[in-house]
Amino acid sequence: MQEREFHIDPHMTYGDLRRYADTLDVTVSSATLPTGINGIYSESVRTILIDRNTSYTQKRCTLVHELVHWSYWDGSCDPRNLPKCETRTRRLTAQMIVPMKDAERLGEEYEGELSPIATELDVTIQVLRDYQSLVLPRTYA
């Protein structure tokens, strides 16, 4: 199947992303999800659920992550390929919402301290780690 396309600006807020998602062929809703699960995408009903008990930064990152799953029709991923799908999704999420110029500038400014860099970029520390481990090696390869 051909990938579903979507384009976001890395500076979009969670509200901006929710409004944008309304223009796509996917439903986004909030729900109380089990502990440790921030979001879920179901291909069978083309629905993304975002845990309502997380911060706006977490919701923002989770929505982009789940939109990547939506764009690749990941509800139909072969279970044997799930780790591969998840790695791809984490890489693309970080690539989409961490602007390279800002990350480099802030990395120097904060001497590599992840917490203030993540706060400035409005991303989670996990997304920033994914950017460092999954995006940068491809960029400078």
Side-chain angles (χ1 to χ4, degrees):
M1 285 186 199
Q2 185 175 346
E3 171 188 345
R4 295 174 178 132
E5 291 189 29
F6 75 102
H7 305 281
I8 63 165
D9 179 287
H11 301 288
M12 292 171 86
T13 65
Y14 176 64
D16 295 334
L17 289 166
R18 281 293 297 258
R19 285 185 290 281
Y20 175 65
D22 287 342
T23 70
L24 304 173
D25 185 26
V26 64
T27 300
V28 179
S29 297
S30 295
T32 300
L33 299 178
T35 301
I37 298 177
N38 298 320
I40 300 170
Y41 173 65
S42 171
E43 175 60 33
S44 63
V45 291
R46 288 195 184 149
T47 299
I48 294 171
L49 294 178
I50 304 292
D51 186 3
R52 70 180 59 203
N53 297 314
T54 59
S55 70
Y56 278 105
T57 297
Q58 183 65 54
K59 288 176 184 176
R60 177 179 180 266
C61 295
T62 300
L63 180 53
V64 174
H65 180 99
E66 299 305 332
L67 283 170
V68 173
H69 280 303
W70 165 80
S71 74
Y72 280 89
W73 308 74
D74 280 350
S76 57
C77 269
D78 182 325
R80 293 169 293 187
N81 292 332
L82 282 177
K84 184 178 179 180
C85 289
E86 193 61 22
T87 299
R88 179 204 59 223
T89 300
R90 289 171 59 179
R91 177 179 49 80
L92 291 173
T93 298
Q95 188 174 326
M96 287 181 184
I97 61 176
V98 176
M100 183 180 288
K101 285 188 327 190
D102 294 344
E104 288 176 356
R105 177 183 55 80
L106 292 169
E108 292 174 13
E109 185 176 324
Y110 291 113
E111 298 176 348
E113 277 297 315
L114 296 184
S115 185
I117 297 169
T119 299
E120 290 267 350
L121 296 175
D122 193 23
V123 298
T124 63
I125 289 176
Q126 182 60 57
V127 167
L128 196 54
R129 285 186 179 131
D130 290 344
Y131 178 79
Q132 291 174 328
S133 65
L134 301 173
V135 177
L136 286 180
R138 288 173 160 246
T139 304
Y140 294 108

